[in-house]
Amino acid sequence: WERVGRPDDFGSPAAQAAGQPQPGSPAAWSADRSDDFGSPAASQGAAGQSGTGQAGAVQGGAGLPATGPEAWQGGFRHPEHTGPYGVPHQAAQDHTGSPTPTPQGSAQPDPHVSSGRYYLPPNSAPTVLRPRGRNKVTAGVAALVLAVGGLAGGVGGYVGYQAAEDARPVTNALNQAPPAHQTSDAPEGSIEQVAQKVLPTVVQVQVTGGAGSGFTLSSDGLVLTNNHVVEAAADGGPMKVQLQDGRSFDARIVGRDPSSDLAVVKMEDVSGLPTAELGNSGDLKIGQQVVAVGSPFDLNGTVTSGIVSSLNRPVRAGGQQGTPDTVLNAIQTDAAINPGNSGGPLVNMRGQVVGINSAIYSPNSSQSSQGGSVGIGFAIPIDQARRTAKELSETGKATQTVLGVQVGDAPDGGALVRDVTAGGAAEAAGIKTGDVITKFGDRPVDSSDALVAAVRSRAPGEKVQLTIGKERTVDVTLGSQPVEIR
């Protein structure tokens, strides 16, 4: 998992190819190599083509007619030795499209008789009606007249068609007047309307070595962003905040909380700013449409949309050198989130902030480069961020919700309690070392990160029922401790 900070191509499937058989030869099969993704290469075959003029040659393929006086006609047959005029020495069983078997003996074909599709068998004497000579001449003249008449009609029709085509008016889109400017408001609940409402409240936070995003909490310049966005300025380094209208202001850190990856900064000498409207992340539903706004790869004011892919996703985010990992109780979304989106708002279709974009799953990242969006991004729920941001803006410090245990992953699932803090919430509830916590309220716990994320999603002082093992339950009142910044 990777925090979204600063800035591979997929292979494309290989094409399939097939060889073409030569006329009169058997069909040849050919196959291309498989591509990088292991998809099978397609093979294509071809039917044999008809032979020409070879006595007794059997023609393969789709029953294409052969040429030559002694060629077999018809469908698929295996080659065999043949006698005169294409008659086999040994008569085979009849098949559709194959020659008629013949009795013994042979006969020369009558050159004046048309035998039709098949050659005549020897010793046969079919009755053929021949027209008289005058009728032949008359028929020939009639055919010639029809042919000439048909040719003349065809030429005349074509010339007329071309003339009609040439007479048609020509239209050109470049000659059309541009449409009138749209003056109506964006449709209610549309991404366009959300963008119009949210964009004026989104800022770019610039520090030495990179930039992230944020959004205004107050008209006098308070901005909520991620801790990992402003860490480079934590020791007094320069920091500026740029608005959507291009104005830029010096800024300072008011307070930050590495454990929740949140920070509040303050722009200097500014007033009258539009402020974001905060929503309720507890109302989110999987599949609900959301919009992410920020400055991915320094592209200020970028808007992307998607849905809520999952809720209460335990995510251990890190990736920056020297930065401790943070366990988030995250909103998962497929809205495109890239390096530079960190700290920007995730909003619902009413334009209310429901999360702070903070991390992405980036399988193509490395020590020297960061990957981009693959449709798996994570945001801190605003219900959790609201409490921390209020503490940071008012006191400069934050408190962390704690259970009072140290845990690891249990072999069969769950959070294994390795140590219990003296005087903490867990000890007061009777939890002991070696216990395996499998449920936090109604939420299943299958790992230590799942328990940490569940605890941090609640406020200090809340009461929660925990399940130990399969059946045992205990009631716990969650504690708190100040966040120590190292």
Side-chain angles (χ1 to χ4, degrees), residues 191 194-195 198-199 202 289-296 301-306 333-338 341 344-349 355 357 379:
I191 297 173
V194 171
V198 175
L199 273 171
V202 180
Q289 192 171 15
V290 288
V291 174
V293 188
S295 302
T302 297
V303 177
T304 58
S305 68
T333 180
D334 67 349
I337 297 174
N338 285 286
N341 270 115
L346 183 72
V347 301
N348 59 24
M349 300 311 292
N357 300 317

Side-chain angles (χ1 to χ4, degrees), residues 2 17 51 89 123 142 228 252 258 277 369 394 445 448 470 474:
E2 176 181 322
H89 286 302
N123 302 324
H228 73 265
R252 60 180 176 84
E277 180 183 355
S369 65
E394 291 178 352
V445 173
S448 58
K470 294 183 179 180
V474 296

Side-chain angles (χ1 to χ4, degrees), residues 140-155:
V141 172
L144 179 61
V145 171
L146 291 175
V148 172
L151 177 61
V155 172

Side-chain angles (χ1 to χ4, degrees), residues 354-447:
V354 293
I356 296 92
N357 300 317
S358 301
I360 59 173
Y361 173 62
S362 185
N364 300 317
S365 64
S366 65
Q367 290 290 337
S368 58
S369 65
Q370 288 184 324
S373 172
V374 294
I376 304 177
F378 304 99
I380 302 169
I382 193 62
D383 291 354
Q384 176 183 341
R386 187 197 301 260
R387 178 182 60 83
T388 301
K390 187 173 181 60
E391 290 180 342
L392 292 175
S393 61
E394 291 178 352
T395 68
K397 298 184 180 298
T399 57
Q400 184 180 43
T401 305
V402 294
L403 179 59
V405 292
Q406 292 183 1
V407 293
D409 293 338
D412 297 325
L416 174 63
V417 178
R418 293 179 174 171
D419 189 29
V420 178
T421 303
E427 184 184 60
I431 297 174
K432 295 179 172 52
T433 300
D435 285 344
V436 176
I437 300 173
T438 57
K439 259 189 175 184
F440 184 89
D442 294 331
R443 177 173 173 174
V445 173
D446 57 4
S447 66

Side-chain angles (χ1 to χ4, degrees), residues 154-231:
V155 172
Y158 176 76
V159 171
Y161 173 79
Q162 286 297 111
E165 284 292 306
D166 294 342
R168 287 185 179 182
V170 176
T171 59
N172 190 323
L174 298 176
N175 297 329
Q176 297 175 3
H181 290 288
Q182 295 183 358
T183 57
S184 60
D185 294 335
E188 184 74 22
S190 66
I191 297 173
E192 181 183 358
Q193 185 191 50
V194 171
Q196 290 177 0
K197 176 180 179 178
V198 175
L199 273 171
T201 70
V202 180
V203 301
Q204 185 182 57
V205 181
Q206 303 167 344
V207 297
T208 302
S213 304
F215 56 93
T216 54
L217 293 174
S218 68
S219 59
D220 63 348
L222 284 177
V223 171
L224 180 60
T225 185
N226 282 135
N227 174 70
H228 73 265
V229 169
V230 302
E231 273 185 319

